[in-house]
Amino acid sequence: QVQLVESGGGLVQPGESLRLSCAASEQFFRIFSMAWYRRVPGKQRELVARITSGGSTNYADSVKGRFTISRDNAKKTVYLQMNSLKPEDTAVYYCNREPALLSWGQGTQVTVSS
């Protein structure tokens, strides 16, 4: 069973940055599109950013220009660089394939507050 382990979250002030990492124990990591999702309590999980096997990226309008998704196939890791963080970015962040066909990891909490 593929495991996804997210890390890098924390408590930051508005305008600051964080870099999230997601390590996948998947033999064929390089052939799948991967994505970052986030969930706020009481709301549905939303897709934040996606990266294809070829490196093409897509972003939710709410994070476009502030977040950057990348991947290292050799390390089987996907990253999310988050700049200019806003309080509305507060959520638990998860990674998964896109579409999200794997079991979810534990996620990593990002809290943006002054």
Side-chain angles (χ1 to χ4, degrees):
Q1 184 177 357
V2 177
Q3 289 188 318
L4 301 167
V5 180
E6 300 92 347
S7 62
L11 171 63
V12 297
Q13 295 188 344
E16 294 186 338
S17 299
L18 281 173
R19 189 193 194 207
L20 307 184
S21 299
C22 171
S25 62
E26 177 163 40
Q27 180 178 1
F28 301 109
F29 175 85
R30 65 177 63 243
I31 70 173
F32 294 109
S33 292
M34 295 295 294
W36 282 96
Y37 305 79
R38 66 186 181 188
R39 186 167 65 182
V40 175
K43 294 187 177 181
Q44 286 192 332
R45 204 178 331 238
E46 65 169 340
L47 190 148
V48 173
R50 172 179 57 199
I51 185 166
T52 68
S53 59
S56 297
T57 57
N58 298 94
Y59 300 91
D61 287 343
S62 58
V63 306
K64 202 170 293 184
R66 300 188 296 121
F67 290 11
T68 302
I69 188 172
S70 60
R71 65 190 296 164
D72 184 332
N73 289 333
K75 295 182 178 180
K76 299 181 181 179
T77 300
V78 60
Y79 304 97
L80 187 68
Q81 178 67 44
M82 306 187 296
N83 298 330
S84 303
L85 282 161
K86 303 177 181 180
E88 51 264 44
D89 295 320
T90 296
V92 180
Y93 285 72
Y94 304 84
C95 71
N96 208 313
R97 289 183 193 172
E98 203 285 314
L101 299 178
L102 300 175
S103 298
W104 294 98
Q106 82 287 350
T108 186
Q109 175 71 48
V110 172
T111 303
V112 185
S113 175
S114 56

PDB file of all heavy atoms in Angstrom, residues 81-112:
ATOM      1  N   GLN A  81       5.736  25.207  -2.398  1.00  0.00           N
ATOM      2  CA  GLN A  81       6.289  26.444  -1.878  1.00  0.00           C
ATOM      3  C   GLN A  81       5.161  27.448  -1.773  1.00  0.00           C
ATOM      4  O   GLN A  81       4.521  27.779  -2.770  1.00  0.00           O
ATOM      5  CB  GLN A  81       7.390  26.980  -2.796  1.00  0.00           C
ATOM      6  CG  GLN A  81       7.986  28.300  -2.355  1.00  0.00           C
ATOM      7  CD  GLN A  81       8.761  28.189  -1.056  1.00  0.00           C
ATOM      8  OE1 GLN A  81       9.526  27.247  -0.866  1.00  0.00           O
ATOM      9  NE2 GLN A  81       8.555  29.142  -0.171  1.00  0.00           N
ATOM     10  N   MET A  82       4.924  27.925  -0.570  1.00  0.00           N
ATOM     11  CA  MET A  82       3.826  28.844  -0.319  1.00  0.00           C
ATOM     12  C   MET A  82       4.377  30.180   0.145  1.00  0.00           C
ATOM     13  O   MET A  82       4.995  30.252   1.214  1.00  0.00           O
ATOM     14  CB  MET A  82       2.882  28.261   0.736  1.00  0.00           C
ATOM     15  CG  MET A  82       2.375  26.867   0.392  1.00  0.00           C
ATOM     16  SD  MET A  82       1.117  26.277   1.539  1.00  0.00           S
ATOM     17  CE  MET A  82       2.054  26.202   3.056  1.00  0.00           C
ATOM     18  N   ASN A  83       4.194  31.197  -0.659  1.00  0.00           N
ATOM     19  CA  ASN A  83       4.647  32.542  -0.333  1.00  0.00           C
ATOM     20  C   ASN A  83       3.459  33.460  -0.090  1.00  0.00           C
ATOM     21  O   ASN A  83       2.333  33.158  -0.479  1.00  0.00           O
ATOM     22  CB  ASN A  83       5.502  33.091  -1.474  1.00  0.00           C
ATOM     23  CG  ASN A  83       6.754  32.276  -1.718  1.00  0.00           C
ATOM     24  OD1 ASN A  83       7.316  31.673  -0.807  1.00  0.00           O
ATOM     25  ND2 ASN A  83       7.198  32.241  -2.969  1.00  0.00           N
ATOM     26  N   SER A  84       3.739  34.579   0.527  1.00  0.00           N
ATOM     27  CA  SER A  84       2.700  35.586   0.784  1.00  0.00           C
ATOM     28  C   SER A  84       1.449  34.953   1.383  1.00  0.00           C
ATOM     29  O   SER A  84       0.322  35.188   0.925  1.00  0.00           O
ATOM     30  CB  SER A  84       2.348  36.326  -0.521  1.00  0.00           C
ATOM     31  OG  SER A  84       3.488  36.927  -1.086  1.00  0.00           O
ATOM     32  N   LEU A  85       1.652  34.162   2.414  1.00  0.00           N
ATOM     33  CA  LEU A  85       0.538  33.428   3.006  1.00  0.00           C
ATOM     34  C   LEU A  85      -0.485  34.377   3.613  1.00  0.00           C
ATOM     35  O   LEU A  85      -0.154  35.445   4.143  1.00  0.00           O
ATOM     36  CB  LEU A  85       1.061  32.457   4.051  1.00  0.00           C
ATOM     37  CG  LEU A  85       1.675  31.181   3.458  1.00  0.00           C
ATOM     38  CD1 LEU A  85       2.566  30.480   4.460  1.00  0.00           C
ATOM     39  CD2 LEU A  85       0.563  30.244   2.980  1.00  0.00           C
ATOM     40  N   LYS A  86      -1.739  33.957   3.515  1.00  0.00           N
ATOM     41  CA  LYS A  86      -2.867  34.727   4.021  1.00  0.00           C
ATOM     42  C   LYS A  86      -3.607  33.902   5.070  1.00  0.00           C
ATOM     43  O   LYS A  86      -3.550  32.672   5.051  1.00  0.00           O
ATOM     44  CB  LYS A  86      -3.831  35.049   2.876  1.00  0.00           C
ATOM     45  CG  LYS A  86      -3.209  35.804   1.714  1.00  0.00           C
ATOM     46  CD  LYS A  86      -4.226  36.003   0.602  1.00  0.00           C
ATOM     47  CE  LYS A  86      -3.623  36.743  -0.578  1.00  0.00           C
ATOM     48  NZ  LYS A  86      -4.609  36.933  -1.678  1.00  0.00           N
ATOM     49  N   PRO A  87      -4.343  34.552   5.950  1.00  0.00           N
ATOM     50  CA  PRO A  87      -5.120  33.789   6.951  1.00  0.00           C
ATOM     51  C   PRO A  87      -6.056  32.767   6.308  1.00  0.00           C
ATOM     52  O   PRO A  87      -6.264  31.691   6.884  1.00  0.00           O
ATOM     53  CB  PRO A  87      -5.889  34.890   7.683  1.00  0.00           C
ATOM     54  CG  PRO A  87      -5.006  36.090   7.580  1.00  0.00           C
ATOM     55  CD  PRO A  87      -4.387  36.002   6.208  1.00  0.00           C
ATOM     56  N   GLU A  88      -6.588  33.077   5.150  1.00  0.00           N
ATOM     57  CA  GLU A  88      -7.489  32.135   4.485  1.00  0.00           C
ATOM     58  C   GLU A  88      -6.785  30.902   3.920  1.00  0.00           C
ATOM     59  O   GLU A  88      -7.448  29.986   3.431  1.00  0.00           O
ATOM     60  CB  GLU A  88      -8.297  32.824   3.373  1.00  0.00           C
ATOM     61  CG  GLU A  88      -7.456  33.625   2.396  1.00  0.00           C
ATOM     62  CD  GLU A  88      -7.402  35.097   2.756  1.00  0.00           C
ATOM     63  OE1 GLU A  88      -7.218  35.439   3.949  1.00  0.00           O
ATOM     64  OE2 GLU A  88      -7.517  35.930   1.812  1.00  0.00           O
ATOM     65  N   ASP A  89      -5.460  30.878   3.984  1.00  0.00           N
ATOM     66  CA  ASP A  89      -4.713  29.673   3.593  1.00  0.00           C
ATOM     67  C   ASP A  89      -4.640  28.660   4.731  1.00  0.00           C
ATOM     68  O   ASP A  89      -4.147  27.544   4.537  1.00  0.00           O
ATOM     69  CB  ASP A  89      -3.288  30.037   3.166  1.00  0.00           C
ATOM     70  CG  ASP A  89      -3.250  30.888   1.910  1.00  0.00           C
ATOM     71  OD1 ASP A  89      -4.042  30.614   0.984  1.00  0.00           O
ATOM     72  OD2 ASP A  89      -2.441  31.830   1.864  1.00  0.00           O
ATOM     73  N   THR A  90      -5.113  29.046   5.910  1.00  0.00           N
ATOM     74  CA  THR A  90      -5.103  28.146   7.054  1.00  0.00           C
ATOM     75  C   THR A  90      -5.935  26.903   6.757  1.00  0.00           C
ATOM     76  O   THR A  90      -7.105  26.999   6.385  1.00  0.00           O
ATOM     77  CB  THR A  90      -5.648  28.862   8.298  1.00  0.00           C
ATOM     78  OG1 THR A  90      -4.765  29.945   8.635  1.00  0.00           O
ATOM     79  CG2 THR A  90      -5.759  27.904   9.475  1.00  0.00           C
ATOM     80  N   ALA A  91      -5.304  25.737   6.887  1.00  0.00           N
ATOM     81  CA  ALA A  91      -5.968  24.474   6.559  1.00  0.00           C
ATOM     82  C   ALA A  91      -5.000  23.333   6.863  1.00  0.00           C
ATOM     83  O   ALA A  91      -3.828  23.564   7.149  1.00  0.00           O
ATOM     84  CB  ALA A  91      -6.356  24.431   5.085  1.00  0.00           C
ATOM     85  N   VAL A  92      -5.509  22.119   6.763  1.00  0.00           N
ATOM     86  CA  VAL A  92      -4.649  20.940   6.735  1.00  0.00           C
ATOM     87  C   VAL A  92      -4.363  20.631   5.273  1.00  0.00           C
ATOM     88  O   VAL A  92      -5.296  20.545   4.463  1.00  0.00           O
ATOM     89  CB  VAL A  92      -5.298  19.738   7.428  1.00  0.00           C
ATOM     90  CG1 VAL A  92      -4.366  18.531   7.380  1.00  0.00           C
ATOM     91  CG2 VAL A  92      -5.643  20.077   8.874  1.00  0.00           C
ATOM     92  N   TYR A  93      -3.107  20.499   4.951  1.00  0.00           N
ATOM     93  CA  TYR A  93      -2.685  20.265   3.578  1.00  0.00           C
ATOM     94  C   TYR A  93      -2.306  18.797   3.387  1.00  0.00           C
ATOM     95  O   TYR A  93      -1.603  18.207   4.215  1.00  0.00           O
ATOM     96  CB  TYR A  93      -1.504  21.170   3.230  1.00  0.00           C
ATOM     97  CG  TYR A  93      -1.920  22.602   2.998  1.00  0.00           C
ATOM     98  CD1 TYR A  93      -2.315  23.412   4.054  1.00  0.00           C
ATOM     99  CD2 TYR A  93      -1.938  23.148   1.717  1.00  0.00           C
ATOM    100  CE1 TYR A  93      -2.722  24.725   3.845  1.00  0.00           C
ATOM    101  CE2 TYR A  93      -2.333  24.462   1.493  1.00  0.00           C
ATOM    102  CZ  TYR A  93      -2.722  25.236   2.558  1.00  0.00           C
ATOM    103  OH  TYR A  93      -3.126  26.540   2.350  1.00  0.00           O
ATOM    104  N   TYR A  94      -2.762  18.252   2.282  1.00  0.00           N
ATOM    105  CA  TYR A  94      -2.522  16.857   1.934  1.00  0.00           C
ATOM    106  C   TYR A  94      -1.979  16.758   0.509  1.00  0.00           C
ATOM    107  O   TYR A  94      -2.281  17.613  -0.331  1.00  0.00           O
ATOM    108  CB  TYR A  94      -3.828  16.054   1.962  1.00  0.00           C
ATOM    109  CG  TYR A  94      -4.596  16.080   3.249  1.00  0.00           C
ATOM    110  CD1 TYR A  94      -5.479  17.120   3.536  1.00  0.00           C
ATOM    111  CD2 TYR A  94      -4.474  15.050   4.177  1.00  0.00           C
ATOM    112  CE1 TYR A  94      -6.210  17.143   4.711  1.00  0.00           C
ATOM    113  CE2 TYR A  94      -5.201  15.062   5.356  1.00  0.00           C
ATOM    114  CZ  TYR A  94      -6.060  16.108   5.619  1.00  0.00           C
ATOM    115  OH  TYR A  94      -6.784  16.125   6.790  1.00  0.00           O
ATOM    116  N   CYS A  95      -1.243  15.718   0.256  1.00  0.00           N
ATOM    117  CA  CYS A  95      -0.888  15.429  -1.134  1.00  0.00           C
ATOM    118  C   CYS A  95      -1.538  14.102  -1.530  1.00  0.00           C
ATOM    119  O   CYS A  95      -1.936  13.298  -0.685  1.00  0.00           O
ATOM    120  CB  CYS A  95       0.615  15.364  -1.334  1.00  0.00           C
ATOM    121  SG  CYS A  95       1.403  13.919  -0.618  1.00  0.00           S
ATOM    122  N   ASN A  96      -1.661  13.915  -2.815  1.00  0.00           N
ATOM    123  CA  ASN A  96      -2.222  12.684  -3.360  1.00  0.00           C
ATOM    124  C   ASN A  96      -1.991  12.716  -4.860  1.00  0.00           C
ATOM    125  O   ASN A  96      -1.520  13.709  -5.412  1.00  0.00           O
ATOM    126  CB  ASN A  96      -3.726  12.575  -3.068  1.00  0.00           C
ATOM    127  CG  ASN A  96      -4.213  11.140  -2.984  1.00  0.00           C
ATOM    128  OD1 ASN A  96      -3.898  10.317  -3.834  1.00  0.00           O
ATOM    129  ND2 ASN A  96      -4.961  10.833  -1.943  1.00  0.00           N
ATOM    130  N   ARG A  97      -2.319  11.628  -5.503  1.00  0.00           N
ATOM    131  CA  ARG A  97      -2.344  11.670  -6.942  1.00  0.00           C
ATOM    132  C   ARG A  97      -3.470  12.609  -7.371  1.00  0.00           C
ATOM    133  O   ARG A  97      -4.306  13.009  -6.572  1.00  0.00           O
ATOM    134  CB  ARG A  97      -2.651  10.287  -7.512  1.00  0.00           C
ATOM    135  CG  ARG A  97      -1.552   9.264  -7.365  1.00  0.00           C
ATOM    136  CD  ARG A  97      -1.985   7.985  -8.045  1.00  0.00           C
ATOM    137  NE  ARG A  97      -1.149   6.843  -7.709  1.00  0.00           N
ATOM    138  CZ  ARG A  97      -1.425   5.599  -8.059  1.00  0.00           C
ATOM    139  NH1 ARG A  97      -2.546   5.342  -8.750  1.00  0.00           N
ATOM    140  NH2 ARG A  97      -0.625   4.609  -7.723  1.00  0.00           N
ATOM    141  N   GLU A  98      -3.478  12.925  -8.670  1.00  0.00           N
ATOM    142  CA  GLU A  98      -4.586  13.679  -9.232  1.00  0.00           C
ATOM    143  C   GLU A  98      -5.072  12.909 -10.453  1.00  0.00           C
ATOM    144  O   GLU A  98      -4.328  12.826 -11.444  1.00  0.00           O
ATOM    145  CB  GLU A  98      -4.158  15.096  -9.617  1.00  0.00           C
ATOM    146  CG  GLU A  98      -5.311  16.088  -9.684  1.00  0.00           C
ATOM    147  CD  GLU A  98      -6.163  15.884 -10.921  1.00  0.00           C
ATOM    148  OE1 GLU A  98      -5.610  15.733 -12.036  1.00  0.00           O
ATOM    149  OE2 GLU A  98      -7.401  15.875 -10.774  1.00  0.00           O
ATOM    150  N   PRO A  99      -6.277  12.291 -10.411  1.00  0.00           N
ATOM    151  CA  PRO A  99      -7.228  12.306  -9.311  1.00  0.00           C
ATOM    152  C   PRO A  99      -6.730  11.574  -8.070  1.00  0.00           C
ATOM    153  O   PRO A  99      -5.826  10.756  -8.142  1.00  0.00           O
ATOM    154  CB  PRO A  99      -8.456  11.606  -9.903  1.00  0.00           C
ATOM    155  CG  PRO A  99      -7.932  10.765 -11.012  1.00  0.00           C
ATOM    156  CD  PRO A  99      -6.782  11.525 -11.575  1.00  0.00           C
ATOM    157  N   ALA A 100      -7.336  11.890  -6.936  1.00  0.00           N
ATOM    158  CA  ALA A 100      -6.892  11.410  -5.633  1.00  0.00           C
ATOM    159  C   ALA A 100      -7.363   9.973  -5.404  1.00  0.00           C
ATOM    160  O   ALA A 100      -8.386   9.727  -4.793  1.00  0.00           O
ATOM    161  CB  ALA A 100      -7.419  12.329  -4.534  1.00  0.00           C
ATOM    162  N   LEU A 101      -6.556   9.035  -5.871  1.00  0.00           N
ATOM    163  CA  LEU A 101      -6.940   7.634  -5.795  1.00  0.00           C
ATOM    164  C   LEU A 101      -6.260   6.865  -4.675  1.00  0.00           C
ATOM    165  O   LEU A 101      -6.583   5.706  -4.446  1.00  0.00           O
ATOM    166  CB  LEU A 101      -6.641   6.953  -7.144  1.00  0.00           C
ATOM    167  CG  LEU A 101      -7.398   7.534  -8.346  1.00  0.00           C
ATOM    168  CD1 LEU A 101      -6.995   6.812  -9.619  1.00  0.00           C
ATOM    169  CD2 LEU A 101      -8.894   7.457  -8.130  1.00  0.00           C
ATOM    170  N   LEU A 102      -5.311   7.497  -3.990  1.00  0.00           N
ATOM    171  CA  LEU A 102      -4.603   6.822  -2.912  1.00  0.00           C
ATOM    172  C   LEU A 102      -5.255   7.128  -1.570  1.00  0.00           C
ATOM    173  O   LEU A 102      -6.002   8.098  -1.437  1.00  0.00           O
ATOM    174  CB  LEU A 102      -3.150   7.268  -2.888  1.00  0.00           C
ATOM    175  CG  LEU A 102      -2.320   6.987  -4.155  1.00  0.00           C
ATOM    176  CD1 LEU A 102      -0.935   7.591  -4.015  1.00  0.00           C
ATOM    177  CD2 LEU A 102      -2.249   5.497  -4.416  1.00  0.00           C
ATOM    178  N   SER A 103      -4.940   6.305  -0.579  1.00  0.00           N
ATOM    179  CA  SER A 103      -5.380   6.603   0.776  1.00  0.00           C
ATOM    180  C   SER A 103      -4.699   7.879   1.249  1.00  0.00           C
ATOM    181  O   SER A 103      -3.524   8.108   0.984  1.00  0.00           O
ATOM    182  CB  SER A 103      -5.025   5.452   1.714  1.00  0.00           C
ATOM    183  OG  SER A 103      -5.695   4.269   1.326  1.00  0.00           O
ATOM    184  N   TRP A 104      -5.440   8.708   1.967  1.00  0.00           N
ATOM    185  CA  TRP A 104      -4.901   9.988   2.408  1.00  0.00           C
ATOM    186  C   TRP A 104      -3.900   9.786   3.540  1.00  0.00           C
ATOM    187  O   TRP A 104      -4.065   8.915   4.392  1.00  0.00           O
ATOM    188  CB  TRP A 104      -6.027  10.899   2.882  1.00  0.00           C
ATOM    189  CG  TRP A 104      -6.958  11.296   1.785  1.00  0.00           C
ATOM    190  CD1 TRP A 104      -8.157  10.739   1.484  1.00  0.00           C
ATOM    191  CD2 TRP A 104      -6.737  12.329   0.809  1.00  0.00           C
ATOM    192  NE1 TRP A 104      -8.706  11.359   0.387  1.00  0.00           N
ATOM    193  CE2 TRP A 104      -7.862  12.335  -0.038  1.00  0.00           C
ATOM    194  CE3 TRP A 104      -5.709  13.252   0.581  1.00  0.00           C
ATOM    195  CZ2 TRP A 104      -7.994  13.236  -1.114  1.00  0.00           C
ATOM    196  CZ3 TRP A 104      -5.835  14.133  -0.481  1.00  0.00           C
ATOM    197  CH2 TRP A 104      -6.960  14.124  -1.316  1.00  0.00           C
ATOM    198  N   GLY A 105      -2.869  10.629   3.555  1.00  0.00           N
ATOM    199  CA  GLY A 105      -1.945  10.663   4.661  1.00  0.00           C
ATOM    200  C   GLY A 105      -2.523  11.463   5.811  1.00  0.00           C
ATOM    201  O   GLY A 105      -3.705  11.826   5.806  1.00  0.00           O
ATOM    202  N   GLN A 106      -1.671  11.780   6.770  1.00  0.00           N
ATOM    203  CA  GLN A 106      -2.151  12.495   7.960  1.00  0.00           C
ATOM    204  C   GLN A 106      -2.269  13.993   7.716  1.00  0.00           C
ATOM    205  O   GLN A 106      -2.924  14.694   8.478  1.00  0.00           O
ATOM    206  CB  GLN A 106      -1.215  12.246   9.147  1.00  0.00           C
ATOM    207  CG  GLN A 106       0.033  13.116   9.198  1.00  0.00           C
ATOM    208  CD  GLN A 106       1.077  12.759   8.164  1.00  0.00           C
ATOM    209  OE1 GLN A 106       0.984  11.745   7.490  1.00  0.00           O
ATOM    210  NE2 GLN A 106       2.104  13.590   8.049  1.00  0.00           N
ATOM    211  N   GLY A 107      -1.659  14.463   6.639  1.00  0.00           N
ATOM    212  CA  GLY A 107      -1.689  15.893   6.344  1.00  0.00           C
ATOM    213  C   GLY A 107      -0.739  16.676   7.231  1.00  0.00           C
ATOM    214  O   GLY A 107      -0.134  16.145   8.172  1.00  0.00           O
ATOM    215  N   THR A 108      -0.603  17.942   6.915  1.00  0.00           N
ATOM    216  CA  THR A 108       0.226  18.831   7.721  1.00  0.00           C
ATOM    217  C   THR A 108      -0.528  20.142   7.911  1.00  0.00           C
ATOM    218  O   THR A 108      -1.063  20.719   6.952  1.00  0.00           O
ATOM    219  CB  THR A 108       1.614  19.054   7.071  1.00  0.00           C
ATOM    220  OG1 THR A 108       2.435  19.818   7.949  1.00  0.00           O
ATOM    221  CG2 THR A 108       1.526  19.741   5.722  1.00  0.00           C
ATOM    222  N   GLN A 109      -0.594  20.600   9.151  1.00  0.00           N
ATOM    223  CA  GLN A 109      -1.384  21.783   9.496  1.00  0.00           C
ATOM    224  C   GLN A 109      -0.619  23.052   9.150  1.00  0.00           C
ATOM    225  O   GLN A 109       0.544  23.224   9.552  1.00  0.00           O
ATOM    226  CB  GLN A 109      -1.722  21.784  10.981  1.00  0.00           C
ATOM    227  CG  GLN A 109      -2.446  23.034  11.464  1.00  0.00           C
ATOM    228  CD  GLN A 109      -3.877  23.118  10.976  1.00  0.00           C
ATOM    229  OE1 GLN A 109      -4.625  22.152  11.065  1.00  0.00           O
ATOM    230  NE2 GLN A 109      -4.267  24.279  10.446  1.00  0.00           N
ATOM    231  N   VAL A 110      -1.272  23.932   8.436  1.00  0.00           N
ATOM    232  CA  VAL A 110      -0.742  25.265   8.160  1.00  0.00           C
ATOM    233  C   VAL A 110      -1.679  26.277   8.796  1.00  0.00           C
ATOM    234  O   VAL A 110      -2.883  26.287   8.506  1.00  0.00           O
ATOM    235  CB  VAL A 110      -0.630  25.514   6.643  1.00  0.00           C
ATOM    236  CG1 VAL A 110      -0.263  26.982   6.376  1.00  0.00           C
ATOM    237  CG2 VAL A 110       0.402  24.587   6.022  1.00  0.00           C
ATOM    238  N   THR A 111      -1.127  27.103   9.656  1.00  0.00           N
ATOM    239  CA  THR A 111      -1.916  28.142  10.322  1.00  0.00           C
ATOM    240  C   THR A 111      -1.266  29.484  10.057  1.00  0.00           C
ATOM    241  O   THR A 111      -0.083  29.678  10.346  1.00  0.00           O
ATOM    242  CB  THR A 111      -2.007  27.888  11.829  1.00  0.00           C
ATOM    243  OG1 THR A 111      -2.565  26.599  12.073  1.00  0.00           O
ATOM    244  CG2 THR A 111      -2.882  28.950  12.492  1.00  0.00           C
ATOM    245  N   VAL A 112      -2.041  30.391   9.490  1.00  0.00           N
ATOM    246  CA  VAL A 112      -1.556  31.732   9.177  1.00  0.00           C
ATOM    247  C   VAL A 112      -2.331  32.707  10.044  1.00  0.00           C
ATOM    248  O   VAL A 112      -3.537  32.906   9.867  1.00  0.00           O
ATOM    249  CB  VAL A 112      -1.735  32.069   7.693  1.00  0.00           C
ATOM    250  CG1 VAL A 112      -1.098  33.434   7.387  1.00  0.00           C
ATOM    251  CG2 VAL A 112      -1.143  30.980   6.815  1.00  0.00           C
TER     252      VAL A 112
END
